[in-house]
Amino acid sequence: MNKTIEKIVSLCKRRGFIFQSSDIYGGFSAVYDYGPLGIELKNNISQLWWKDMTQVHENIVGLDSGILMHPKIWEASGHVGAFNDPLVDCKQCKSRYRADDFSEDYSSIDWEEIQCPKCGTTGNLTSPRQFNLMFKTHVGPVEETGTETFLRPETAQGIYVNYQLVQGAMRMKVPFGIAQIGKAFRNEIIARNFIFRTREFEQMEMQYFVKPGTDDDIMNDWKEKRLHFYLDKLSIDKNKLRYAEHGDNELAHYAKEAWDIEYDFPFGWSEIEGIHNRTDYDLTRHEEFSGKNLTYFDQPNNDRFLPYIIETSAGLNRMLLTVLADAYWEDEENNRIVMKFHPRLAPIKAVVCPLVKKDGLPEKAREIMDILKPHFKVIYDQQGSIGKRYYRQDEAGTPFGITVDHQSLEDNTITLRDRDSMKQERISIEQLLKSINNSI
Ligand code: GAP
């Protein structure tokens, strides 16, 4: 099977997972809209993450901070000064590149000697200039000095500036975590690979506040836990996941140590989540810029300190792309495409199909819809041959197909089809809810 990103993009459009933004206006670069199946899948993934963080861990609580914040926050965080990518232009064809796509050590490149990958001319690439990735905006009706701020490029800062309020209100004791899911914005120079790198995206970040000195061990714990999330909760193929450590020249301005969880996408191994030891960098900077004391008082030990922060930072859209790429399967034997989502992730859990549109079968099928729909997402389909109906749902990744036939009217049984094996078994309507619930 030749799994390409183009095939996944096409299925996503065809089945209503993901559309390019502003489609009727010719599209809007590097922004995507999530269709009916895409939003269900995205919600299923983010709910699993939220539960894993804030329900399974008693010492992690949630937060939802604003996208717009005090502009000083972005000076303190270092984003105004250091959140830059090196940009190179071609004077001939006007193409734009990230200098570090040519070489990590791009500062030693002689740009006069480099050929433009698009137009093929040499000597037309400019020297790299630093380009800040934050989107600027103005607050209030008049654009004047003092009204400028930024759309947040990460959700993390909203957690740092609220950490003492959360700690006090919830009586949290170090080590404790604060989790947040929300939009982030980056004016990426080059957006590519579908939803992998976009200008508007969602992050799922958890900041874990720890006592300095315990940070290395806690970082190792979180590395293990986060990898298990992909294996146990998202059921991702373990051979397609790996850890990669950031070298000294790749470390973000705030990090002492950083590891990426990478997935083997059709376009190669790429980062889906970062686990970072941010030390006390952020809290120190916010103390400096706000003038507030942000230390934590450890009462039992009569000790006061500025916590270190271990961060787990995942892109929800990248996680979704991982799930899509991992699930995509061309079943050549049966000439069909199947999205093999784990039933727990599937946007729709079951399709209910009357075999024919008459003889009381639609009414019986509707009774089954009424039994199942309070519990999970199910759809009703009576259009086309039963084979076509199933194949449509195979592409949508619906794990169960329920067919109501004439026998159903006599003995209250239906056939239950398994998406992956295509095997069908006859079971009673009474057993149906339990049987599906057991698998999700
Ligand atoms: N708070 C730390 C932070 O933001 P990051 O490595 O810059 O770290 C974390 O981003 C995660 O956010 C990445 O692993 C990725 O999943 C996601 N992400 C970053 N930029 C993205 C973009 N332009 N489009 C989609 N996801 C992105």
Side-chain angles (χ1 to χ4, degrees):
M1 172 178 60
N2 180 18
K3 200 187 278 196
T4 64
I5 196 71
E6 289 76 20
K7 288 180 183 174
I8 295 170
V9 173
S10 160
L11 180 138
C12 282
K13 184 172 183 189
R14 190 164 72 239
R15 290 291 160 223
F17 283 93
I18 301 168
F19 309 121
Q20 73 164 335
S21 161
S22 318
D23 193 59
I24 61 169
Y25 287 92
F28 190 65
S29 175
V31 183
Y32 287 89
D33 296 339
Y34 290 79
L37 297 197
I39 181 64
E40 295 292 342
L41 182 58
K42 191 144 70 84
N43 283 345
N44 291 345
I45 295 171
S46 62
Q47 279 160 16
L48 279 173
W49 183 89
W50 190 252
K51 182 173 171 191
D52 198 58
M53 287 295 177
T54 66
Q55 190 173 319
V56 173
H57 293 94
E58 290 172 38
N59 65 344
I60 300 181
V61 291
L63 178 77
D64 183 18
S65 67
I67 286 172
L68 296 174
M69 295 195 286
H70 198 292
K72 262 194 168 176
I73 288 174
W74 304 112
E75 281 175 51
S77 69
H79 284 84
V80 170
F83 196 51
N84 300 321
D85 272 348
L87 171 73
V88 168
D89 284 306
C90 174
K91 289 182 266 182
Q92 179 68 25
C93 70
K94 312 291 176 220
S95 296
R96 284 218 142 137
Y97 303 100
R98 280 175 63 144
D100 51 0
D101 278 351
F102 289 82
S103 162
E104 296 234 330
D105 186 20
Y106 61 87
S107 50
S108 57
I109 291 180
D110 179 359
W111 293 92
E112 285 289 310
E113 301 284 309
I114 303 292
Q115 204 180 30
C116 169
K118 177 127 183 254
C119 69
T121 60
T122 304
N124 280 316
L125 294 183
T126 60
S127 301
R129 64 195 160 92
Q130 293 300 326
F131 172 78
N132 193 284
L133 296 184
M134 285 196 294
F135 280 101
K136 271 190 197 142
T137 189
H138 286 266
V139 177
V142 190
E143 287 191 18
E144 55 189 27
T145 341
T147 63
E148 186 180 278
T149 188
F150 303 92
L151 301 187
R152 66 181 177 197
E154 61 171 9
T155 60
Q157 298 301 325
I159 295 182
Y160 305 146
V161 298
N162 278 293
Y163 118 90
Q164 268 186 339
L165 292 172
V166 172
Q167 188 269 325
M170 304 304 286
R171 293 175 292 122
M172 308 301 287
K173 307 263 178 298
V174 161
F176 71 91
I178 305 178
Q180 170 158 235
I181 300 177
K183 291 256 180 173
F185 302 83
R186 295 182 189 180
N187 198 1
E188 298 284 357
I189 297 172
I190 299 176
R192 62 173 158 223
N193 291 329
F194 194 30
I195 55 169
F196 182 80
R197 188 181 300 287
T198 52
R199 299 204 166 100
E200 175 177 341
F201 56 99
E202 272 169 89
Q203 288 190 315
M204 301 191 293
E205 298 199 300
M206 194 281 298
Q207 313 296 326
Y208 206 65
F209 298 82
V210 309
K211 187 171 178 160
T214 61
D215 49 314
D216 290 338
D217 285 347
I218 292 180
M219 169 101 179
N220 286 336
D221 272 2
W222 277 106
K223 273 179 62 194
E224 201 173 314
K225 279 187 186 166
R226 291 307 303 147
L227 190 64
H228 271 279
F229 179 81
Y230 290 86
L231 300 171
D232 306 340
K233 300 294 183 327
L234 304 185
S235 301
I236 302 296
D237 180 353
K238 73 171 183 316
N239 299 313
K240 293 194 157 237
L241 287 168
R242 72 175 186 198
Y243 260 114
E245 186 172 12
H246 284 209
D248 285 343
N249 56 350
E250 291 170 285
L251 279 178
H253 58 274
Y254 49 73
K256 161 181 151 185
E257 184 187 353
W259 292 82
D260 289 340
I261 299 180
E262 295 186 338
Y263 180 75
D264 187 9
F265 288 103
F267 45 83
W269 287 96
S270 308
E271 170 193 347
I272 43 181
E273 171 162 350
I275 291 97
H276 313 131
N277 183 341
R278 295 181 74 130
T279 66
D280 57 2
Y281 174 84
D282 300 274
L283 294 183
T284 305
R285 298 276 294 182
H286 286 304
E287 275 201 331
E288 248 173 63
F289 280 73
S290 68
K292 296 270 157 34
N293 177 353
L294 296 179
T295 51
Y296 166 84
F297 183 55
D298 176 3
Q299 212 159 18
N301 297 310
N302 197 24
D303 190 13
R304 186 173 278 284
F305 55 86
L306 208 54
Y308 268 32
I309 293 167
I310 305 298
E311 166 183 71
T312 73
S313 174
L316 175 51
N317 316 75
R318 282 195 195 173
M319 212 183 266
L320 179 88
L321 186 60
T322 307
V323 168
L324 288 167
D326 211 59
Y328 184 92
W329 174 47
E330 289 172 1
D331 176 5
E332 281 152 15
E333 207 183 314
N334 297 296
N335 194 22
R336 61 180 188 143
I337 296 170
V338 185
M339 294 304 278
K340 285 174 105 176
F341 302 127
H342 188 284
R344 147 181 354 113
L345 291 175
I348 303 167
K349 308 301 182 203
V351 57
V352 182
C353 307
L355 189 61
V356 289
K357 285 191 236 173
K358 54 183 185 180
D359 303 336
L361 300 190
E363 290 76 10
K364 191 74 184 166
R366 286 274 169 209
E367 276 175 31
I368 294 173
M369 285 292 291
D370 289 341
I371 296 172
L372 300 182
K373 72 185 178 191
H375 302 275
F376 38 73
K377 181 104 185 139
V378 271
I379 60 158
Y380 177 85
D381 191 0
Q382 59 175 28
Q383 241 176 1
S385 72
I386 196 79
K388 276 210 180 114
R389 282 182 258 171
Y390 279 155
Y391 278 32
R392 263 200 298 272
Q393 290 308 315
D394 290 343
E395 286 202 346
T398 306
F400 301 107
I402 297 161
T403 304
V404 176
D405 55 18
H406 292 91
Q407 190 181 330
S408 310
L409 300 178
E410 285 161 24
D411 62 5
N412 244 8
T413 62
I414 47 84
T415 61
L416 186 64
R417 172 188 183 265
D418 176 83
R419 175 195 63 202
D420 301 346
S421 67
M422 296 169 73
K423 286 208 177 97
Q424 306 208 18
E425 57 167 338
R426 192 139 205 122
I427 65 166
S428 73
I429 293 173
E430 231 173 59
Q431 276 177 281
L432 188 57
L433 177 61
K434 195 164 169 216
S435 166
I436 298 178
N437 258 338
N438 281 346
S439 72
I440 57 183

